[in-house]
Amino acid sequence: MTFEEKTLSSEIIYKGSIINLRKDKVSVKNGTSFREIVEHGGGSVLAALDENNNMIMVKQFRKPLNRVVLEAPAGKIDPGEDPLETAMRELKEETGYTAAKVSFLTKIYPSVGYSEEALYLYLCQELSGGEPCFDENEALDIEKYSIDELYRMVMSGEINDAKTIIIVLFIRNLQLEGKLL
Amino acid sequence: MTFEEKTLSSEIIYKGSIINLRKDKVSVKNGTSFREIVEHGGGSVLAALDENNNMIMVKQFRKPLNRVVLEAPAGKIDPGEDPLETAMRELKEETGYTAAKVSFLTKIYPSVGYSEEALYLYLCQELSGGEPCFDENEALDIEKYSIDELYRMVMSGEINDAKTIIIVLFIRNLQLEGKLL
């Protein structure tokens, strides 16, 4: 039987720039336990499709993996910002494009075991171009891929960033179902 | 341009039971910066299909979301354990089943921005039943769903745990491609 864990006490371990860490003492079936929880403000992730249904992707060095990762454009939600605004802002910042048409796809939780992080996935269409204006610490390469190529890279394991796998598979399913205009 | 971030120094902030947290000082294009990195030993995730291709799912309370979440069975890799062993062990512990046939699907990184966590996804078939023997702190409900129903729940946003979305979409794609026997 599932059992609701009530918070008995909570300790802030670390307050950082991207994440905080806290430790909650909780009630469990047989007494009490501890839960280590990463606090994260969430983010938006974009499937930005050009007029030929090619998807704009970014490559960047990711320190936790110590390598360059191919990803869908994404960024953190600023305090008080609506996830849709984040999506439009990050599209502009990371790729230089603006989208005339934006549709919500789904909301995902990357790591339900220890993180509060939620990501909002959007489809961005009817793009008009421009130059990317990077954040100070961002260093990105921009590349375009067809949906078929990205699908092949997901199923073969070449793409292994979770949010990117999900947005690629969502877009391909919409395309197969004739819902991608 | 992507730029390799070299570690200049590293500080352990917290050593816990599920995760550690460290803060790395790194070289970036314009000088130095900090990266907050969650260390996590990784895990295995299972698509366990019965003889009718119904998938065994678990429901459990997840403190970071403060609610019950529907997920594919999964568990942490013990130190020195092979992810395939983890998959077999967790299948037995969480659902009571053993699988005569196990195939690797893919490896995913749930949160490349701040976490080292890697998850290994497996397809488990030719199940024989048994009784689940839960870990001390685990309190699970077990449910079976058809692949079609899970696909509908993913696309409608009812399922939003990232690893579960990915394993459901992988299994459905294999089924559509005739690769699921």
Side-chain angles (χ1 to χ4, degrees):
Chain A
M1 269 297 284
T2 58
F3 182 91
E4 191 186 330
E5 298 175 355
K6 295 217 189 315
T7 306
L8 304 172
S9 63
S10 192
E11 179 195 355
I12 303 290
I13 308 242
Y14 173 78
K15 276 194 174 289
S17 63
I18 310 288
I19 56 174
N20 302 326
L21 178 64
R22 69 168 204 268
K23 191 173 173 183
D24 285 358
K25 187 178 182 186
V26 299
S27 59
V28 295
K29 217 169 36 177
N30 305 317
T32 62
S33 190
F34 289 95
R35 300 285 176 250
E36 297 153 348
I37 298 174
V38 170
E39 299 177 344
H40 183 288
S44 293
V45 187
L46 328 170
L49 294 180
D50 73 7
E51 66 280 10
N52 301 313
N53 276 346
N54 288 315
M55 218 166 123
I56 321 289
M57 303 287 285
V58 295
K59 267 187 173 168
Q60 61 189 307
F61 187 84
R62 290 298 201 171
K63 190 61 192 166
L65 274 53
N66 256 317
R67 66 170 173 85
V68 171
V69 179
L70 179 67
E71 298 171 53
K76 290 184 306 293
I77 299 168
D78 283 339
E81 194 178 37
D82 185 276
L84 176 64
E85 287 174 64
T86 310
M88 305 293 271
R89 180 175 54 72
E90 288 289 342
L91 177 66
K92 180 73 179 169
E93 283 179 13
E94 293 202 344
T95 74
Y97 287 99
T98 53
K101 189 177 163 194
V102 181
S103 329
F104 175 71
L105 293 170
T106 199
K107 180 182 179 180
I108 67 171
Y109 294 98
S111 266
V112 296
Y114 66 83
S115 176
E116 295 180 346
E117 182 185 16
L119 297 175
Y120 298 81
L121 277 50
Y122 292 93
L123 168 60
C124 299
Q125 291 171 296
E126 300 176 15
L127 305 181
S128 46
E131 288 297 309
C133 57
F134 297 135
D135 277 1
E136 247 175 49
N137 288 325
E138 270 179 317
L140 299 172
D141 283 335
I142 294 170
E143 296 180 349
K144 282 188 184 188
Y145 293 83
S146 72
I147 298 171
D148 279 353
E149 176 68 358
L150 290 173
Y151 175 70
R152 189 197 62 71
M153 292 168 80
V154 164
M155 296 305 287
S156 69
E158 270 174 86
I159 290 179
N160 35 35
D161 171 48
K163 65 181 183 301
T164 303
I165 294 175
I166 292 173
I167 207 161
V168 164
L169 294 180
F170 257 72
I171 294 301
R172 182 166 182 274
N173 287 335
L174 292 180
Q175 189 181 42
L176 288 181
E177 291 174 7
K179 290 177 185 162
L180 197 67
L181 300 184
Chain B
M1 269 299 281
T2 58
F3 181 91
E4 192 187 330
E5 299 176 355
K6 298 218 187 314
T7 306
L8 304 173
S9 63
S10 191
E11 178 194 356
I12 301 291
I13 307 251
Y14 173 77
K15 276 192 172 292
S17 62
I18 309 288
I19 56 175
N20 302 326
L21 178 64
R22 71 168 203 268
K23 191 173 172 181
D24 285 359
K25 186 179 181 183
V26 299
S27 59
V28 295
K29 215 170 35 176
N30 303 318
T32 63
S33 189
F34 289 94
R35 299 286 176 247
E36 298 154 346
I37 296 173
V38 170
E39 299 177 343
H40 183 289
S44 293
V45 187
L46 329 169
L49 294 179
D50 73 7
E51 66 280 11
N52 300 313
N53 275 346
N54 287 315
M55 219 168 123
I56 321 289
M57 302 286 285
V58 297
K59 269 187 172 169
Q60 61 188 306
F61 186 86
R62 290 298 201 170
K63 191 61 193 167
L65 275 52
N66 257 317
R67 65 169 173 86
V68 171
V69 179
L70 180 67
E71 298 171 51
K76 289 185 306 293
I77 300 169
D78 284 340
E81 195 178 36
D82 185 275
L84 177 64
E85 288 174 64
T86 310
M88 306 293 271
R89 179 175 57 71
E90 288 287 345
L91 177 66
K92 180 72 179 170
E93 284 179 12
E94 293 203 343
T95 73
Y97 287 98
T98 52
K101 189 178 163 192
V102 181
S103 330
F104 175 71
L105 294 169
T106 198
K107 180 181 180 182
I108 66 170
Y109 294 98
S111 267
V112 295
Y114 64 84
S115 176
E116 295 181 346
E117 182 185 15
L119 297 175
Y120 299 81
L121 277 51
Y122 292 93
L123 167 61
C124 299
Q125 290 172 296
E126 300 177 16
L127 306 181
S128 46
E131 289 295 311
C133 58
F134 297 136
D135 276 1
E136 247 176 46
N137 287 325
E138 269 181 318
L140 299 173
D141 284 335
I142 294 168
E143 296 179 350
K144 283 186 183 187
Y145 293 83
S146 72
I147 298 171
D148 280 354
E149 176 68 358
L150 290 172
Y151 175 70
R152 190 196 61 71
M153 292 167 81
V154 164
M155 296 305 288
S156 69
E158 270 174 84
I159 290 178
N160 34 37
D161 171 49
K163 66 182 181 302
T164 303
I165 294 174
I166 292 172
I167 206 161
V168 164
L169 294 179
F170 258 72
I171 293 301
R172 182 165 181 275
N173 288 334
L174 292 180
Q175 190 181 43
L176 288 180
E177 291 172 8
K179 291 177 185 162
L180 196 68
L181 301 183

